[in-house]
Amino acid sequence: QPTLSGDFGTLMGWADRGRRMTVRTNAETPQDAKVAREFGAEGIGLCRTEHMFFEGDRILAVREMILAETEEGRRAALAKLLPMQRQDFTDLFEIMHGLPVTIRLLDPPLHEFLPKTDEELKDVATAMGADPELLRDRALSLEEFNPMLGHRGCRLLVSYPEIAEMQARAIFEAAVAAAKATGAPVVPEIMVPLVGLKGELDLVRSSIEAMAKAVIEETGAELTYQVGTMVELPRAALKAAEIAESAEFFSFGTNDLTQTTFGISRDDAASFLGTYQTKGILEQDPFVSLDPEGVGELIKIGVERGRSTRPDIKLGICGEHGGDPSSITFCESVDLDYVSCSPYRVPIARLAAAQAALRKASGN
Ligand code: PEP
Ligand code: MG
């Protein structure tokens, strides 16, 4: 286990006294959450639940869910995933011991879940008692030309609300269990991905609220929670005033926001962005260091418009930029409440957040 002791720990203590923004981590495994806490993370800013769906034989149930033709079929597959998700979240809540935890509902590019080999297709067909050839057709019909701009994020939750219902139930049941086990209150923050339209958020929010009500009735436990959204599409930033009516928090997803603002695929950029830098068209790779002018302008708009509707809206960033010092300086300049980054970047983020706050206070 890494620890921050000795002189390094002392330095970090000084940094913590100087900073204003809190530093959270992006984590979905107990191991990452533990490492991040050792490094001083003050919460989880992004738990990417789709990563949990690849483990062990879960992917089989996930494929059953995706390939099911009916809601009944999807619900049967989701029922297999519920206990596993409940345990995932209970573990995270217990490790974080009352610190805030933001759990993002499923956001896969759909193609990552589709069976890729004949063997995989056969396994799902056997599990579903279905004809492999019919399933192959169904899988082919779900293939997309541009999966990153396709049926992902909240779009999937709009098509199949039962996915959000299962995840919300798992989150709420885990919150009740973890609060009982640790004695620390758990206030889950449920985050809806890839929202561009307020109606998308409203629809998913209503499933979450209905599930909270059901779990409160069933367990008799008190349950407080927040619902928020990623701001990772230009439209979400522009419509932030309206979207904030339905969101207690925003987290800027600058990986997708950079991709959609530049219109540059985040998975293909490496092949030409180097040339842009050597030819002086771009100073830095915008997927590494936040582009303060284009993407930054959209963040400023999102912050201002979000706060105009809800002055106390909680604002953070959870794209890769959340662990990059120059991007953290930008986050301080627009008064975000927290940055969230991968576990091993937490110490850097703590230092960078302190430097940014001190520089801002001294007017530099
Ligand atoms: C983002 O888009 O910045 C983000 C954090 O989400 P993901 O990287 O999972 O798309
Ligand atoms: Mg994203």
Side-chain angles (χ1 to χ4, degrees):
Q1 278 293 338
T3 49
L4 293 186
S5 53
D7 291 348
F8 196 32
T10 308
L11 179 69
M12 282 295 155
W14 292 340
D16 290 344
R17 275 191 262 144
R19 73 187 153 88
R20 182 193 58 81
M21 289 188 291
T22 48
V23 175
R24 299 197 193 183
T25 192
N26 296 353
E28 43 277 331
T29 65
Q31 176 60 16
D32 276 356
K34 281 183 200 151
V35 169
R37 276 210 71 181
E38 294 283 345
F39 281 155
E42 296 159 306
I44 291 180
L46 173 63
C47 164
R48 291 177 163 105
T49 56
E50 60 279 5
H51 290 185
M52 297 164 158
F53 282 12
F54 290 100
E55 279 168 40
D57 53 9
R58 295 177 184 202
I59 187 66
L60 191 62
V62 173
R63 289 190 175 126
E64 284 178 59
M65 187 240 323
I66 294 292
L67 295 174
E69 294 277 7
T70 62
E71 184 183 325
E72 200 190 356
R74 275 189 300 280
R75 285 192 184 277
L78 286 163
K80 295 184 196 172
L81 291 164
L82 173 65
M84 301 182 221
Q85 281 270 270
R86 190 193 300 124
Q87 193 58 51
D88 292 334
F89 301 140
T90 307
D91 291 345
L92 287 181
F93 290 144
E94 288 188 9
I95 291 164
M96 297 314 284
H97 211 272
L99 293 174
V101 176
T102 305
I103 296 172
R104 183 176 73 184
L105 301 181
L106 189 64
D107 176 19
L110 207 52
H111 70 287
E112 287 185 13
F113 286 160
L114 294 175
K116 286 172 193 67
T117 62
D118 284 346
E119 186 95 19
E120 286 173 356
L121 192 78
K122 227 172 71 206
D123 287 347
V124 202
T126 310
M128 294 171 77
D131 174 354
E133 285 316 308
L134 286 181
L135 267 200
R136 191 190 303 280
D137 289 347
R138 167 91 177 131
L140 281 175
S141 76
L142 293 172
E143 293 276 358
E144 296 177 303
F145 287 107
N146 290 310
M148 290 299 272
L149 295 176
H151 202 183
R152 60 177 277 232
C154 65
R155 299 163 194 165
L156 203 63
L157 307 171
V158 167
S159 301
Y160 309 126
E162 51 278 7
I163 299 176
E165 285 171 26
M166 181 282 280
Q167 290 197 293
R169 174 175 281 283
I171 292 168
F172 291 136
E173 291 180 351
V176 172
K180 207 181 271 178
T182 62
V186 179
V187 181
E189 298 171 358
I190 303 184
M191 182 152 77
V192 185
L194 219 75
V195 163
L197 301 154
K198 178 170 178 284
E200 294 170 324
L201 179 58
D202 285 341
L203 202 96
V204 180
R205 193 183 172 102
S206 67
S207 297
I208 295 169
E209 285 171 352
M211 201 44 78
K213 210 162 152 244
V215 173
I216 289 169
E217 271 171 26
E218 290 163 24
T219 61
E222 277 184 37
L223 201 53
T224 19
Y225 62 96
Q226 295 187 340
V227 179
T229 183
M230 301 278 294
V231 175
E232 52 186 344
L233 297 175
R235 194 181 194 283
L238 296 171
K239 297 300 289 176
E242 194 180 299
I243 292 172
E245 288 167 13
S246 301
E248 273 101 48
F249 63 90
F250 284 169
S251 183
F252 289 93
T254 45
N255 303 329
D256 274 307
L257 193 58
T258 301
Q259 164 167 263
T260 49
T261 302
F262 278 86
I264 293 177
S265 154
R266 58 195 262 193
D267 300 319
D268 302 308
S271 61
F272 58 91
L273 274 188
T275 312
Y276 273 49
Q277 285 167 266
T278 51
K279 297 198 171 176
I281 298 171
L282 274 175
E283 265 177 40
Q284 282 166 321
D285 180 337
F287 288 99
V288 175
S289 272
L290 195 112
D291 156 45
E293 289 165 22
V295 176
E297 188 74 22
L298 281 166
I299 293 177
K300 273 189 206 156
I301 289 171
V303 166
E304 281 166 21
R305 295 187 186 175
R307 285 197 173 127
S308 72
T309 298
R310 195 187 283 265
D312 64 345
I313 190 167
K314 194 162 35 181
L315 301 172
I317 180 175
C318 62
E320 289 307 307
H321 305 86
D324 167 67
S326 73
S327 312
I328 291 171
T329 302
F330 175 86
C331 295
E332 176 65 40
S333 76
V334 294
D335 263 337
L336 295 193
D337 299 304
Y338 68 89
V339 298
S340 188
C341 57
S342 63
Y344 287 95
R345 284 179 146 197
V346 167
I348 303 244
R350 286 164 68 190
L351 275 176
Q355 282 169 340
L358 295 173
R359 240 185 265 124
K360 192 172 167 193
S362 65
N364 293 314

